[in-house]
Amino acid sequence: MPQNWAGSHTYEAARIVSVRSRDDLVAALATPGRVHALGTRHSFTDLPDTDGTLIEMSTWVPPVVIEGDTVRVGAGTRYAVLAAQLEDAGRALHNTGSLPHINVGGATATGTHGSGDRNGVLTTAVRALTFADAAGTFHTVRREDADFAALAVGVGAFGVVTELELETQPTYRVRQDIYAGVSWGAILDDVDAVTTAGDSVSVFTRWDDNSIVWIKKRVADDAEQPVGTLLDGVLADHELSPLGTGDNVTPLGVPGVWYQRLPHFRADREPSYGDEIQSEYFIDRTHAAAALAAIRAIADGFREHLNVTELRTAAADDLWLSGAYQRESFIIHFTWLNHPEQVREALVGIEAALAPFDARPHWGKLHLFDRERLEAVVPRLAEARAVYERIDPDGRFVNDHLVRVGLREAR
Ligand SMILES: Cc1cc2nc3c(=O)[nH]c(=O)nc-3n(C[C@H](O)[C@H](O)[C@H](O)COP(=O)(O)OP(=O)(O)OC[C@H]3O[C@@H](n4cnc5c(N)ncnc54)[C@H](O)[C@@H]3O)c2cc1C
């Protein structure tokens, strides 16, 4: 059977059906047995899997419709495709994730995020979504509707999202620079000084003493120059690649259009490292320094299995399953080597270290949380589950993962 992008999960579905139209989707939903939406396969676990039919949405790319400050886009459309058309129309999104390869449906379904104290997760741009239920009936839910907060980050638990209406803004340009040699002492003393140093800030660390800080800043004038220092770090040579394989990172030190600078990775290259596992946790940003100290204390135990950690931020929102639900968030990410056993062992220690801070895991990445532990940190989990049970009473979108994490009831 086919695998996810990272090769860390082999799908167990009986079949994968690639849909190209509404009719194809209705036919796929009519297949007996369970069904589940599949995006571009960039999540790291069995989250999208099913014992029935996986419905691949990235083959269905209807025309993008840009009107005023909104865009209507097919769920299977990749951000790279959407962004280029928005730019042609003089429009932009508020933020992007680290890669433009993922599709809008899969990214918004898991609360995918970029960075920035004032930037909500990507799902916060959604004004309305249209989905097909198990019977192949289509429904549109708008931001002001009662179920919206449960469905926007909906991890494929209730239906197949076919179209999203996203908020846009006038296009803008971004410059990105990196600062090397920033010490842990300086970061822990003043986390805010780091996260406010740009519109989107990422700290890359292997939990040893020196970190690299990657700053993305909107520029009104391409001639604007970056400051020479950040805390005890210095502006670094643009040849120094902060992550990835080296040639897959978007241009540093040269201003450019938003969608070619906000993602870390270029659309025309494979992102990140490839053979890897990712994990990520959201905490209230007021706990950032304490949580970092707690993980740093155990880092010698997991460093050999780690490619790199990335630290980011996100603005609070009201989407029930968003990692940033009602919390200004600090987000701690791990790109692991593809060492499943050792990574699971490391996660036991990391999740214990983060427990005092009520960490919430990223839905699309590897974590060890079960229903009970999630109910303690995701305040609206039971209510979200009730909405999904109401929309899909026969449980056709139920899978093992969703039962394990308490987003669906077992059948
Ligand atoms: C190299 C790399 C870098 C990443 N960087 C980031 C990052 O910067 N920030 C971040 O937050 N995450 C990041 N991720 C994680 C990624 O954004 C999420 O896992 C996201 O869900 C991927 O979207 P997908 O379409 O590939 O999802 P899939 O793995 O295909 O599906 C994920 C979930 O979305 C559901 N879904 C997909 N399409 C639909 C639909 N049309 N209707 C209903 N449900 C649907 C699926 O059922 C499943 O539950 C990264 C992943 C990789 C591999």
Side-chain angles (χ1 to χ4, degrees), residues 5 11 36-44 47-48 57 75 97-99 102-103 105-107 109-114 155-156 159-162 265 271-272 276 278 280 312 362 364-365:
W5 171 84
Y11 296 109
H36 218 86
L38 182 65
T40 46
R41 311 182 189 191
H42 285 85
S43 61
F44 289 87
L47 176 69
M57 291 296 287
S98 73
L99 75 174
I102 48 178
N103 62 11
T110 56
T112 289
H113 59 94
V155 288
V160 179
V161 176
T162 57
F265 299 110
S272 199
E276 67 191 55
Q278 296 185 11
E280 194 164 39
R312 290 182 278 186
H362 188 304
K365 303 189 180 183

Side-chain angles (χ1 to χ4, degrees), residues 169-371:
Q169 56 184 265
T171 184
Y172 52 90
R173 290 175 72 76
V174 173
R175 177 186 167 110
Q176 46 181 356
D177 293 286
I178 49 178
Y179 292 82
V182 186
S183 69
W184 270 106
I187 294 173
L188 296 182
D189 272 357
D190 197 351
V191 175
D192 287 353
V194 180
T195 69
T196 58
D199 294 292
S200 166
V201 175
S202 295
V203 177
F204 289 89
T205 178
R206 284 182 42 79
W207 304 93
D208 42 18
D209 202 47
N210 286 330
S211 299
I212 286 178
V213 183
W214 190 339
I215 306 272
K216 299 172 193 263
K217 244 186 185 164
R218 294 188 185 205
V219 287
D221 176 351
D222 278 5
E224 280 175 34
Q225 290 300 310
V227 295
T229 57
L230 177 71
L231 302 177
D232 55 355
V234 292
L235 186 64
D237 188 333
H238 295 128
E239 298 308 309
L240 176 70
S241 174
L243 84 170
T245 52
D247 68 342
N248 60 358
V249 166
T250 49
L252 298 158
V254 191
V257 290
W258 61 279
Y259 76 96
Q260 293 173 353
R261 297 296 182 277
L262 288 177
H264 298 334
F265 299 110
R266 297 168 57 132
D268 59 353
R269 301 275 199 287
E270 280 299 328
S272 199
Y273 300 91
D275 193 21
E276 67 191 55
I277 299 171
Q278 296 185 11
S279 305
E280 194 164 39
Y281 300 92
F282 292 68
I283 58 169
D284 188 310
R285 65 174 291 147
T286 55
H287 301 310
L292 291 174
I295 296 184
R296 195 154 180 251
I298 58 169
D300 286 349
F302 63 68
R303 190 177 291 109
E304 66 179 299
H305 307 293
L306 181 75
N307 254 321
V308 73
T309 273
E310 180 176 5
L311 309 172
R312 290 182 278 186
T313 55
D317 62 53
D318 285 314
L319 306 173
W320 291 359
L321 298 187
S322 165
Y325 176 71
Q326 297 193 341
R327 290 202 311 213
E328 298 296 332
S329 293
F330 190 81
I331 311 167
I332 306 174
H333 164 92
F334 304 83
T335 300
W336 302 105
L337 302 175
N338 196 356
H339 297 170
E341 250 174 63
Q342 295 89 336
V343 169
R344 283 182 174 272
E345 228 167 82
L347 292 183
V348 172
I350 288 169
E351 292 185 4
L354 290 178
F357 312 108
D358 289 338
R360 298 173 183 153
H362 188 304
W363 296 109
K365 303 189 180 183
L366 182 68
H367 63 81
L368 307 178
F369 278 67
D370 60 11
R371 172 172 171 157

Side-chain angles (χ1 to χ4, degrees), residues 15-36:
R15 66 196 71 79
I16 298 184
V17 175
S18 302
V19 299
R20 289 182 172 73
S21 66
R22 216 174 150 100
D23 288 349
D24 284 357
L25 174 58
V26 172
L29 288 167
T31 314
R34 289 189 174 161
V35 287
H36 218 86

